[in-house]
C-alpha cells in the first residue's frame, strides 16, 4: 500500500478547520465529517469522535472502499456487524474507527465521482431543512451565484438515521439523480440532517458550503 500523500492529508485538515470554524456555525462539537479520495480504491475520512475545527492527522482514518460499498448491499446488518465492517475497512488496523458516515462518503467518492466531500450541519441550512417545507425552497433558484457554485439541480434525501440505512437512501437518490441529469450532483440535501458537498477540489467543497449558508440565510429572511 502506498503511503498517504501528505499534500492531500494537509489539505483535508485545512478544509476541515475551515468548515469547523466557530464563527461560521457550519458544524459544532463532533458534527460533520470530511473525506478525500486517494486514487487507489482507498480514501481518508474523519474518524469517529474527531471535531472538524480542531482535527489533526490522527483524526483521519484511511479506509478501503470495497468492503464499505459492499456492506451497503446488506442494510440488514446489525449495529455490531456495521462496526465490524468499519473496523475491517481500515488500512491500518491500529487506526481509529472511521465515522459511521463512512458509507455515505464512499458513495460520493466512488459512485458519484467526487474527489473531496464535506458534510456539515449549518444552523442556517437546517433552519430550512427542519421546517415544514424541508428541501423544497432549495429547488427554486433565487440568485445566479448559487446556480454556478451549487449546481442547477440538487439531490434530496428524506430523513434516515445516520449509518448504513442512510447510505442506502443516499445511493438511491444519487442513482436517480444521475439517471435524470446525466451527471452527479454537487449538493445532497438530507432533510432534517444537513448538506453534503461533492467537489473535485477541496476549495469546491468549501465554496459550496459557504454558498449554501448564504442561500439558506436569504431564504429564511424571506419566510
Amino acid at each position: 500500500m502506498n503511503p498517504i500523500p501528505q499534500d492531500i492529508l494537509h489539505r483535508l485538515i485545512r478544509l476541515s478547520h475551515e468548515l469547523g470554524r466557530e464563527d461560521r456555525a457550519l458544524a459544532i462539537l463532533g458534527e460533520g465529517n470530511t473525506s478525500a479520495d486517494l486514487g487507489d480504491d482507498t480514501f481518508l475520512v474523519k474518524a469517529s469522535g474527531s471535531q472538524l475545527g480542531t482535527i489533526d492527522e490522527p483524526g483521519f482514518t484511511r479506509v478501503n472502499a470495497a468492503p464499505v460499498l459492499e456492506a451497503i448491499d446488506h442494510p440488514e446488518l446489525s449495529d455490531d456487524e456495521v462496526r465490524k465492517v468499519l473496523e475491517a475497512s481500515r488500512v491500518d488496523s491500529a487506526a481509529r474507527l472511521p465515522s459511521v458516515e463512512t458509507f455515505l462518503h464512499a458513495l460520493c467518492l466512488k459512485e458519484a465521482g467526487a474527489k473531496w466531500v464535506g458534510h456539515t450541519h449549518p444552523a442556517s441550512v437546517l433552519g430550512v431543512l427542519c421546517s415544514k417545507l424541508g428541501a423544497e425552497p432549495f429547488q427554486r433558484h433565487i440568485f445566479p451565484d448559487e446556480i454556478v457554485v451549487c449546481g442547477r439541480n440538487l439531490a434530496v434525501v428524506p430523513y434516515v438515521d445516520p449509518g448504513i440505512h442512510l447510505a442506502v437512501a443516499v445511493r438511491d437518490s444519487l442513482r436517480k439523480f444521475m439517471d435524470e441529469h446525466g451527471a452527479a450532483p454537487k449538493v445532497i440535501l438530507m432533510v432534517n440532517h444537513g448538506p453534503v458537498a461533492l467537489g473535485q477540489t477541496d476549495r469546491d467543497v468549501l465554496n459550496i458550503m459557504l454558498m449554501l449558508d448564504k442561500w439558506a440565510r436569504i431564504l429564511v429572511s424571506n419566510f
Side-chain angles (χ1 to χ4, degrees), residues 132-209:
K132 292 181 180 179
L133 297 174
E136 193 273 335
F138 289 104
Q139 305 288 29
R140 302 189 304 270
H141 298 294
I142 55 176
F143 61 96
D145 285 345
E146 40 97 345
I147 300 175
V148 173
V149 177
C150 300
R152 184 169 294 279
N153 300 289
L154 284 64
V156 176
V157 179
Y159 181 78
V160 181
D161 286 343
I164 197 164
H165 291 98
L166 174 59
V168 172
V170 169
R171 183 182 62 184
D172 292 346
S173 178
L174 280 174
R175 289 179 177 178
K176 179 181 178 183
F177 186 98
M178 290 189 285
D179 284 345
E180 291 179 354
H181 302 287
K186 292 183 178 181
V187 175
I188 301 171
L189 293 176
M190 299 185 292
V191 176
N192 291 88
H193 187 158
V196 182
L198 293 75
Q200 293 302 304
T201 69
D202 49 332
R203 188 69 211 189
D204 287 343
V205 171
L206 179 59
N207 287 347
I208 289 168
M209 283 298 178

Side-chain angles (χ1 to χ4, degrees), residues 8-58:
I8 293 178
L9 175 58
H10 293 155
R11 286 163 64 192
L12 187 57
I13 292 172
R14 183 177 62 207
L15 170 63
S16 302
H17 289 172
E18 291 289 337
L19 294 176
R21 274 176 44 177
E22 186 174 348
D23 61 311
R24 287 186 170 143
L26 300 177
I28 63 171
L29 305 176
E31 289 179 342
N33 30 75
T34 52
S35 64
D37 185 49
L38 297 179
D40 61 353
D41 294 323
T42 71
F43 60 94
L44 288 170
V45 67
K46 192 189 89 165
S48 181
S50 300
Q51 294 190 18
L52 290 179
T54 58
I55 199 167
D56 54 12
E57 292 187 17

Side-chain angles (χ1 to χ4, degrees), residues 203-218:
R203 188 69 211 189
D204 287 343
V205 171
L206 179 59
N207 287 347
I208 289 168
M209 283 298 178
L210 293 178
M211 189 59 69
L212 280 170
D213 175 54
K214 176 181 177 179
W215 187 1
R217 286 187 283 112
I218 293 171

Side-chain angles (χ1 to χ4, degrees), residues 59-96:
F60 291 98
T61 299
R62 186 182 192 178
V63 303
N64 290 299
V68 176
L69 292 170
E70 182 180 352
I72 299 171
D73 290 326
H74 302 280
E76 74 281 358
L77 293 174
S78 67
D79 289 346
D80 286 343
E81 289 170 325
V82 167
R83 182 182 178 88
K84 288 178 181 177
V85 170
L86 292 174
E87 290 174 342
S89 72
R90 295 173 297 179
V91 172
D92 178 358
S93 60
R96 292 168 58 183

